[in-house]
Amino acid sequence: MRIRDRLAQTGAPAFRFGQLIAAWQSSTAETFADVHALPAGLRADLAERFGPRLHPLTPLEVQRDEQVEKVLFASESGARIETVVSHYRAGWDSMCISSQAGCGLGCTFCATGAVGLVRNLTADEIVAQVMHPHWTREGLPRPASVAFMGMGEALANPHVFDALTLLTDAGYAGMSARRVTVSTVGFAPNLTRLVDEHPQVTITLSVHSPFAQERARIIPLEERFPLAQSLDILDRHAARSRRKVYLAYLLIAGVNDSDDHLAELVRARSRPEPFHVSVIRYNEAAGASPDYRAPSSIRIDEFVHGLTVRGVHATRRRQFGTGIDAACGQLHAKYLAADPTIAAPVNTELIPVTPLRS
């Protein structure tokens, strides 16, 4: 890591890096100058070499309703990144973080997909969404859980693996791996890597249709990595780890909410016990297919009931934040409408991993 190396080059004792990490863990220090445990000269040297900020994100806009806070961050390169915190009445918070600025997969239900891929986020930028002093200033505790359900396909970004290490390593953010969820539409090669390297992380696979041709219209990645391939990976993972796996099913009126869809979704699972289907009501999103409509609450309940009576664990997902466009990409889309240059796609080659400003 470049910061650790720089400290060694300056002759600073090894414990100085620990002091820096302690300030980062406390989520109170926003700049190197705020890390008062370090000598002033060392703080100045680090700021000159790495820039003044400990975190590579700056809050740009905040939207709130009763149970949700959504922040649009700007990265140092100018990319826009959305992060959402949900406040549950039981007294705990859950954070939804982004893994990419935009997304290149083109899912037809998603506002982020309409933006296109701007770039992968670095491990620093991913973790900074959780550790940023913005939350401390707002009086919020560290979130009880973190989900990679924001902008982007998490498993299309290899930097996510370093971010997971930083989030779950006791020497860094120190979260329980079981309180971290990675959501994917089925990027199979890195799904295999995920279950091998981070077997305790919770996984949610977006299904949205059990029929391959229809799923490909909703999630174009189906043509490269079929749903069956991802389900096979998760079957083996569930058997080996004994961890529950979640299947997300976005219910769209007249598209994927028929009894035939329900029956085929049940048949797709040879071993339904370790799988839980989370049924989600479709909400209109900027850039999504104009033909998509939300189903009625009655139909959602019928669909969930149809799964449960067939032996599949299923629930309807609670949804917050409809009053502030909390769906992924909505706030970004507003900025894009005002200034289309914000989301101009850049070189999407994999950028070097740089955890903790390394």
Side-chain angles (χ1 to χ4, degrees):
M1 295 173 62
R2 293 190 323 176
I3 287 181
R4 192 196 296 268
D5 292 343
R6 179 59 184 172
L7 290 172
Q9 290 170 5
T10 64
F15 71 82
R16 294 299 187 193
F17 185 72
Q19 291 176 319
L20 180 64
I21 292 299
W24 178 82
Q25 288 173 328
S26 70
S27 299
T28 56
E30 188 161 357
T31 66
F32 285 107
D34 296 328
V35 187
H36 298 296
L38 299 181
L42 189 54
R43 283 179 272 157
D45 178 81
L46 293 174
E48 180 179 0
R49 181 162 293 267
F50 299 107
R53 295 182 177 275
L54 273 176
H55 302 271
L57 301 178
T58 302
L60 187 65
E61 180 172 335
V62 178
Q63 292 184 348
R64 297 183 180 91
D65 72 2
E66 184 181 1
Q67 290 184 258
V68 171
E69 178 173 348
K70 182 171 189 175
V71 177
L72 184 70
F73 287 108
S75 72
E76 292 173 345
S77 69
R80 276 28 175 181
I81 301 162
E82 293 182 1
T83 307
V84 177
V85 175
S86 298
H87 310 293
Y88 291 85
R89 300 191 191 282
W92 57 281
D93 297 328
S94 178
M95 183 176 289
C96 177
I97 63 176
S98 296
S99 55
Q100 297 177 314
C103 182
L105 298 189
C107 296
T108 54
F109 59 87
C110 180
T112 307
V115 171
L117 179 62
V118 179
R119 67 171 174 83
N120 287 328
L121 301 186
T122 66
D124 279 353
E125 290 168 332
I126 294 170
V127 176
Q129 295 171 73
V130 180
M131 305 299 293
H132 199 281
H134 167 80
W135 311 114
T136 305
R137 290 196 299 268
E138 293 292 318
L140 297 178
R142 186 77 60 82
S145 62
V146 169
F148 286 77
M149 293 184 177
M151 299 175 70
E153 163 55 48
L155 295 185
N157 180 0
H159 304 166
V160 162
F161 294 94
D162 291 278
L164 287 170
T165 297
L166 290 173
L167 286 171
T168 59
D169 191 304
Y172 294 100
M175 295 190 68
S176 166
R178 293 190 173 213
R179 303 301 297 174
V180 177
T181 297
V182 175
S183 178
T184 178
V185 297
F187 205 91
N190 278 349
L191 181 58
T192 298
R193 181 182 172 187
L194 178 66
V195 300
D196 288 341
E197 295 184 11
H198 298 278
Q200 295 303 307
V201 165
T202 300
I203 299 172
T204 295
L205 174 66
S206 295
V207 176
H208 304 347
S209 176
F211 300 111
Q213 289 187 342
E214 181 178 69
R215 187 173 189 264
R217 291 193 293 271
I218 300 172
I219 302 173
L221 192 67
E222 167 73 17
E223 296 182 354
R224 289 182 60 194
F225 304 120
L227 175 64
Q229 183 179 0
S230 293
L231 290 174
D232 285 344
I233 295 168
L234 294 178
D235 267 336
R236 294 193 296 273
H237 167 63
R240 182 172 64 246
S241 69
R242 300 185 181 276
R243 295 279 288 134
K244 182 181 290 186
V245 172
Y246 291 82
L247 305 179
Y249 196 91
L250 184 70
L251 207 62
I252 307 170
V255 174
N256 64 353
D257 62 342
S258 72
D259 290 340
D260 287 342
H261 287 89
L262 194 157
E264 186 62 24
L265 182 59
V266 173
R267 281 194 293 269
R269 303 304 333 113
S270 59
R271 296 175 59 250
E273 301 85 8
F275 290 86
H276 184 104
V277 179
S278 181
V279 180
I280 310 161
R281 179 181 185 269
Y282 173 75
N283 285 319
E284 292 185 13
S289 172
D291 297 328
Y292 290 172
R293 296 288 182 269
S296 68
S297 291
I298 293 175
R299 183 53 187 154
I300 299 171
D301 292 340
E302 289 174 345
F303 201 89
V304 171
H305 179 70
L307 291 171
T308 57
V309 298
R310 290 168 172 81
V312 176
H313 302 291
T315 52
R316 177 177 177 175
R317 182 184 293 176
R318 296 176 64 188
Q319 291 170 279
F320 301 143
T322 55
I324 60 168
D325 295 328
C328 300
Q330 294 280 67
L331 189 51
H332 186 289
K334 186 184 80 171
Y335 268 75
L336 177 60
D339 182 2
T341 64
I342 288 173
V346 298
N347 188 340
T348 57
E349 300 254 339
L350 302 183
I351 41 184
V353 177
T354 57
L356 285 186
R357 318 287 283 176
S358 58

